[in-house]
Structure formats: structure tokens, C-alpha cells
């Protein structure tokens, strides 16, 4: 049983992909740490990296090689200056040297020391192997797996026992939706109140609030950046940013100087149905355009689906409740994180394992449930909303054109956000006792669908739109 905090499900990173960018980056950091712990770091003469399966097939488009280099350089995705990424990687390529862990210079050829292998390792589709050659001619290697959402494990899961022990310290250990509802009823608590108690077993209230504020501020900054940046996305597809022009039309003559002022001025705009649709779509598109350009986003629960939750939360703050404050934001994020963890424990949040239903579908379910609690829904209605949202994403494939998190990924965030809002509205008018499909059933169905899905529809760019649309058409 995994101990999954809200801050595991919602974490700050760099785009474009949590499993193909953030995960390999974290794997590289972890490998460096293990080299130091084993007292062999100073003996490393050179290294090689092997990328397997989905990491190989779509690695170039997801900047997997770039992420690995940044991790080996000792850079942190949470606070690295985004503008320094290109120059840092270019320096490695030009000088054919790697400043390992920002401590030790070793020779490194970007073209030959990173190998893309189409072979799928048995444990998971996203395998990455690090090989170090030591000065005594010893060769050591380690294999990691990026399992979605920035989570990284080894095949032997050496921390499984540790995770179980921490999990059991939770006052309310939860694996399924049914268990969550049982605890809510027994304790007479909302879902957010229950999740907060679990978080308090890991950190104090000041840390919880500080971290949640940082997550929200990153989300807001990301939306703001995306809405105020025009141009063409990198990668070769020549995809034009759309959030900028949509935002220009929606905002009219609004005047502001900061993201917070901007949020307040949006509340003064027209709120007809079409405008609401456009605002929500604009928010979602903006985040994933930032993500596609190696910008800083909140993995929620993945980078490819990072736009859904902030878009729905912004909808609540600027459309649904103009008096919304940090307490609302806190409750929203706590509920969203818990719903995401139920999907991770019972199925997957990795598109390489389950297709896009595991990313956009899960993010939509997370947002739908969180919005329902803020709108006054019961815990049963919260899970009903999450179930409705996922139910209508079942079978969604992951087929990025050119291996880039752009087409159809960016638009899918807009669709996932709209579905989340619709699911919340449906749940608010539903008697959960009359619902035919519980959340746990749809979680299990999503996992069974994932296992039945052909590999070419699981983030390999070997099926669907990825082969139906030629790069020359773009």
C-alpha cells in the first residue's frame, strides 16, 4: 500500500511531460544521490544512459534526453530558472562535457552517450538505465521506471515497506472510494477535512498551507503567462499559441498589473454561457501551452493533463464564487489530490500504461470532485462527480503527433475541464443512492480498459492521430 500525499499528486515541475520529462529528471537526481551514498561518485569517469520503450519512442518530443541531462547537472525542476535550460543543455553538447551533480566534470557526448532503445522492459513501459564507468574499470548500473505523474520506482520497489509503514501512520488509511466514504461518515467530516488530518500526520499546518499556496501561485502564474504569451510552440509542428488571442478578445479593456489583479478583473467580465466556455478553455489551453514550451507547471496529476485542475479552480474563483479565497483553494486541492491517489492506487495515472484516460480522465475526475465539494456537495456527491467525469473518458487513447505534448494533448485539457464542470453539475442534482456506477467500479474499469488497450495507443506515437496525421501536413 502506498502512502500518497496531496503533494505527491500535485507537484511543481517543468514540462512537457511528467512521465517522460519530470520522472527521468527525478530518476537522474536519485541516481546521483545513490552514487554519493555508495561512495562511488568521485570515482565516476564517464556515464551512459539507455532509454527504453515509451521513453525511447516519444522521448525526443517529450525532451526526455534534455530532462536527464538537467537532472545529472544537479538542477532542480522546482526552482531552475526556465530561461537557463536551453543554454545549460547547449553547453553540454558544445563542450562534450557534463558537470556531474554540479561537482565533477566528465566527458559526455550528447549524441552517443544517450541511447534510445525501442525494447520494452517487462516491469513498465518507461524504463531508464544509468551506467557508470569507474576509474578502477568497474561498471555499475541502475534501472528506474517512470510510472506517471513524476513518480519513479525501481523494479524491486525497495521503499515499498517504508511506504507501507508511513501509510499506516495515517489516521485514515484510504485505498478506495468506499473506504473514504466510510471514514467521512464515521468521523462526520467532509473529504477535505479528512484528507487534511492525514496530511497533518506528515507535516504541520504552516507547512501544509505554505505548500498549497505555492502550488496555487504556480498554477496562477502559469495561467497568466500562457494568456500573455503569443507565438509558435517549439518542436517542429508549428503549433500556434491560441490562449493569447482568446484572452485578448475576452478581456477587452481590462487593466491590471499582476496575476492577482488580473483574477479580480476577470470577475467583471460578461458571464454568458459562451464566454464561460471560452474562459475555461482559455485557462486550460494557457497552462498546456506553457507546458509544451518547457515552462514551469504543476503536475496535476501529470504534465500532459496539467491544465484541467487550474482551469476548473479558476472557473470557481472568477465565475462561480467571486468571494472565493484561500480556504476554498485549499479544500479544492485537498479533495483533488485524494481522488487522484485513489486512481493511482487502483489503476494508473501513466499514459504509457493506460492511454490518455489515465491522464486527462483522472485530472477531470479530480477537478469534478473538488468542484463539487466547493459547491456544497456531500462526500457521496463528490465521488459521484469524479465517477461521471471518468466514465466519459474511458478508452481515451494517447497518440501525440510527433511525440509532442501538443496535438491533441493541449485541446484535451480544455475538454477535460469542461467535462469536469458538467460532471459536478450533474452530481449536484443526483441522489448518490440512485447512482448505478460507484467510483471504485469505474477505477477498476479504467484499469481493465488500460490492460486491454493496444500498446500503439499508449504514448508510443505508433497509432491514432500520431500516424493518421503526417508531420508534413503540419
Amino acid at each position: 500500500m502506498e502512502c500518497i500525499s496531496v503533494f505527491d499528486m500535485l507537484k511543481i515541475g517543468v514540462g512537457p511531460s511528467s512521465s517522460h520529462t519530470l520522472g527521468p529528471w527525478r530518476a537522474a537526481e536519485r541516481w546521483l544521490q545513490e552514487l554519493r551514498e555508495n561512495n562511488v561518485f568521485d570515482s565516476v569517469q564517464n556515464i551512459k544512459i539507455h532509454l527504453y520503450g515509451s521513453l525511447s519512442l516519444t522521448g525526443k518530443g517529450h525532451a526526455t534526453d534534455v530532462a536527464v541531462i538537467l537532472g545529472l547537472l544537479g538542477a532542480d525542476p522546482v526552482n531552475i530558472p526556465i530561461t537557463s535550460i536551453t543554454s545549460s543543455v547547449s553547453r553540454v553538447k558544445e563542450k562534450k562535457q557534463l558537470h556531474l551533480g554540479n561537482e565533477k566534470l566528465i566527458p559526455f557526448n550528447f549524441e552517443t552517450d544517450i541511447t534510445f532503445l525501442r525494447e520494452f522492459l517487462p516491469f513498465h513501459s518507461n524504463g531508464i538505465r544509468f551506467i557508470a564507468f569507474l576509474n578502477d574499470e568497474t561498471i555499475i548500473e541502475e534501472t528506474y521506471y517512470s510510472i506517471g505523474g513524476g513518480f519513479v520506482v525501481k523494479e524491486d520497489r525497495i521503499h515499498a515497506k517504508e511506504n507501507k509503514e508511513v501509510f499506516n501512520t495515517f489516521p485514515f488509511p484510504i485505498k478506495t472510494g468506499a473506504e473514504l466514504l466510510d471514514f467521512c461518515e464515521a468521523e462526520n467530516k467532509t473529504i477535505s477535512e479528512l484528507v487534511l488530518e492525514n496530511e497533518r500526520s506528515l507535516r504541520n499546518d504552516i507547512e501544509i498551507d505554505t505548500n498549497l499556496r505555492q502550488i496555487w501561485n504556480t498554477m496562477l502564474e502559469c495561467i497568466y503567462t500562457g494568456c500573455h504569451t503569443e507565438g509558435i510552440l517549439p518542436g517542429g509542428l508549428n503549433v500556434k499559441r491560441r490562449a493569447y488571442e482568446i484572452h485578448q478578445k475576452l478581456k477587452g479593456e481590462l487593466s491590471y498589473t499582476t496575476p492577482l489583479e488580473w483574477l479580480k478583473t476577470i470577475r467583471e467580465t460578461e458571464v454568458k454561457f459562451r464566454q464561460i466556455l471560452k474562459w475555461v478553455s482559455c485557462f486550460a489551453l494557457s497552462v498546456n501551452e506553457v507546458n509544451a514550451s518547457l515552462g514551469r507547471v504543476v503536475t496535476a496529476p501529470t504534465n500532459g493533463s496539467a491544465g484541467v485542475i487550474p482551469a476548473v479552480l479558476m472557473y470557481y474563483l472568477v465565475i462561480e464564487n467571486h468571494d472565493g479565497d484561500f480556504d476554498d483553494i485549499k479544500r479544492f486541492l485537498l479533495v483533488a489530490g485524494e481522488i487522484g491517489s485513489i486512481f493511482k492506487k487502483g489503476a494508473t495515472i501513466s499514459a504509457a500504461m493506460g492511454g490518455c484516460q489515465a491522464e486527462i480522465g483522472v485530472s477531470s475526475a479530480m477537478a469534478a470532485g473538488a468542484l463539487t465539494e466547493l459547491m456544497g456537495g456531500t462526500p457521496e456527491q463528490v465521488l459521484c462527480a469524479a465517477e461521471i467525469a471518468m466514465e466519459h473518458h474511458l478508452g481515451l487513447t494517447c497518440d501525440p503527433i510527433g511525440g509532442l505534448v501538443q496535438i491533441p494533448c493541449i485541446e484535451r485539457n480544455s475538454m477535460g475541464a469542461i467535462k469536469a464542470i458538467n460532471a459536478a453539475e450533474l452530481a449536484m442534482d443526483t441522489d448518490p443512492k440512485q447512482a448505478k456506477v460507484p467510483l471504485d467500479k469505474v477505477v477498476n474499469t479504467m484499469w481493465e480498459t488500460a490492460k486491454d488497450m493496444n500498446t500503439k495507443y499508449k504514448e508510443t506515437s505508433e497509432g491514432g492521430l500520431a500516424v493518421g496525421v503526417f508531420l508534413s501536413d503540419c
Side-chain angles (χ1 to χ4, degrees):
M1 179 61 63
E2 293 176 276
C3 165
I4 301 179
S5 163
V6 169
F7 302 107
D8 293 322
M9 298 305 303
L10 306 172
K11 45 187 173 284
I12 299 170
V14 174
S17 171
S18 51
S19 59
H20 288 56
T21 313
L22 183 59
W25 192 325
R26 290 303 190 195
E29 289 181 312
R30 184 165 159 184
W31 186 55
L32 286 183
Q33 180 182 350
E34 292 184 11
L35 289 176
R36 293 187 178 100
E37 291 174 352
N38 294 327
N39 298 315
V40 295
F41 179 87
D42 292 335
S43 301
V44 174
Q45 295 299 296
N46 49 62
I47 62 174
K48 290 186 180 295
I49 302 102
H50 292 170
L51 302 174
Y52 293 90
S54 183
L55 288 185
S56 170
L57 293 169
T58 63
K60 290 286 187 180
H62 287 108
T64 303
D65 47 357
V66 170
V68 170
I69 293 304
L70 292 170
L72 292 173
L73 288 172
D76 188 339
V78 175
N79 52 38
I80 183 176
I82 298 300
T83 54
S84 73
I85 290 178
T86 300
S87 59
S88 295
V89 176
S90 295
R91 194 175 304 116
V92 173
K93 291 180 178 179
E94 293 167 3
K95 294 189 175 183
K96 291 186 174 8
Q97 285 184 320
L98 179 68
H99 202 192
L100 191 64
N102 199 30
E103 294 179 32
K104 177 184 177 68
L105 273 177
I106 62 172
F108 189 85
N109 188 316
F110 196 90
E111 301 301 323
T112 60
D113 288 336
I114 302 180
T115 306
F116 292 80
L117 301 168
R118 296 175 65 89
E119 172 191 356
F120 282 76
L121 298 181
F123 182 69
H124 193 278
S125 302
N126 294 331
I128 178 170
R129 180 168 295 155
F130 295 95
I131 305 169
F133 301 84
L134 308 185
N135 55 17
D136 63 357
E137 298 186 354
T138 300
I139 300 175
I140 59 174
E141 60 182 60
E142 193 63 77
T143 303
Y144 302 88
Y145 299 89
S146 178
I147 61 173
F151 289 87
V152 175
V153 299
K154 291 183 181 180
E155 186 167 358
D156 56 7
R157 293 179 178 269
I158 60 173
H159 296 300
K161 183 174 184 293
E162 173 189 337
N163 281 341
K164 183 174 182 179
E165 289 173 353
V166 176
F167 179 86
N168 287 334
T169 67
F170 275 3
F172 308 108
I174 297 161
K175 181 179 180 181
T176 67
E179 291 173 350
L180 175 57
L181 292 181
D182 286 344
F183 279 126
C184 285
E185 182 178 0
E187 300 295 322
N188 192 28
K189 291 180 182 292
T190 64
I191 291 177
S192 63
E193 290 172 336
L194 200 76
V195 178
L196 181 59
E197 289 303 312
N198 277 347
E199 291 299 324
R200 283 172 172 160
S201 71
L202 302 177
R203 50 185 64 84
N204 62 45
D205 282 358
I206 294 177
E207 291 174 315
I208 292 170
D209 286 358
T210 298
N211 291 343
L212 288 174
R213 286 183 191 277
Q214 185 183 21
I215 286 171
W216 167 241
N217 288 337
T218 302
M219 286 181 172
L220 180 59
E221 185 66 38
C222 184
I223 297 173
Y224 187 84
T225 299
C227 284
H228 294 81
T229 305
E230 55 184 330
I232 303 297
L233 293 174
L237 290 182
N238 295 317
V239 174
K240 183 180 179 181
R241 290 176 179 261
R242 285 182 288 174
Y244 177 85
E245 290 186 359
I246 295 173
H247 176 252
Q248 289 296 110
K249 294 175 182 177
L250 288 170
K251 79 179 184 67
E253 301 299 322
L254 295 179
S255 177
Y256 50 85
T257 57
T258 68
L260 284 177
E261 287 182 11
W262 175 62
L263 188 152
K264 293 177 182 178
T265 58
I266 295 174
R267 291 169 171 165
E268 302 172 7
T269 62
E270 213 171 13
V271 289
K272 293 180 180 178
F273 182 67
R274 287 186 65 196
Q275 276 69 34
I276 295 173
L277 279 177
K278 289 179 179 179
W279 272 118
V280 175
S281 295
C282 183
F283 297 148
L285 294 175
S286 66
V287 171
N288 286 85
E289 288 173 356
V290 170
N291 179 64
S293 55
L294 275 79
R296 181 167 286 114
V297 300
V298 175
T299 302
T302 68
N303 282 32
S305 62
V308 176
I309 287 174
V312 175
L313 182 48
M314 274 289 283
Y315 159 80
Y316 178 80
L317 295 173
V318 301
I319 304 294
E320 187 68 30
N321 180 10
H322 288 189
D323 295 321
D325 55 18
F326 175 69
D327 182 61
D328 295 304
I329 294 168
K330 179 177 179 177
R331 291 167 57 208
F332 186 100
L333 297 177
L334 289 170
V335 175
E338 185 60 38
I339 292 172
S341 75
I342 289 173
F343 275 98
K344 186 180 184 303
K345 293 167 189 170
T348 182
I349 58 171
S350 167
M353 291 295 287
C356 201
Q357 60 174 354
E359 296 201 18
I360 294 295
V362 173
S363 63
S364 186
M366 292 166 68
L371 178 61
T372 301
E373 175 162 317
L374 292 192
M375 292 169 62
T378 65
E380 291 82 4
Q381 288 174 319
V382 168
L383 296 199
C384 183
E387 185 281 322
I388 292 171
M390 171 52 77
E391 185 177 323
H392 301 290
H393 283 93
L394 288 174
L396 187 61
T397 60
C398 181
D399 47 358
I401 297 176
L404 297 166
V405 191
Q406 296 180 20
I407 304 173
C409 319
I410 295 174
E411 283 183 354
R412 281 186 179 167
N413 280 263
S414 170
M415 302 305 292
I418 297 299
K419 283 186 180 181
I421 296 170
N422 194 14
E425 292 292 344
L426 288 172
M428 291 296 293
D429 289 327
T430 296
D431 178 357
K433 294 179 181 179
Q434 301 299 318
K436 304 300 182 183
V437 184
L439 177 63
D440 293 332
K441 181 62 68 174
V442 85
V443 171
N444 182 64
T445 300
M446 191 268 270
W447 182 229
E448 292 301 319
T449 304
K451 290 188 287 186
D452 289 340
M453 190 180 290
N454 192 298
T455 301
K456 68 183 181 180
Y457 298 118
K458 297 180 180 180
E459 207 168 5
T460 60
S461 287
E462 294 186 324
L465 287 175
V467 298
V469 178
F470 298 103
L471 293 182
S472 57
D473 297 333
C474 301

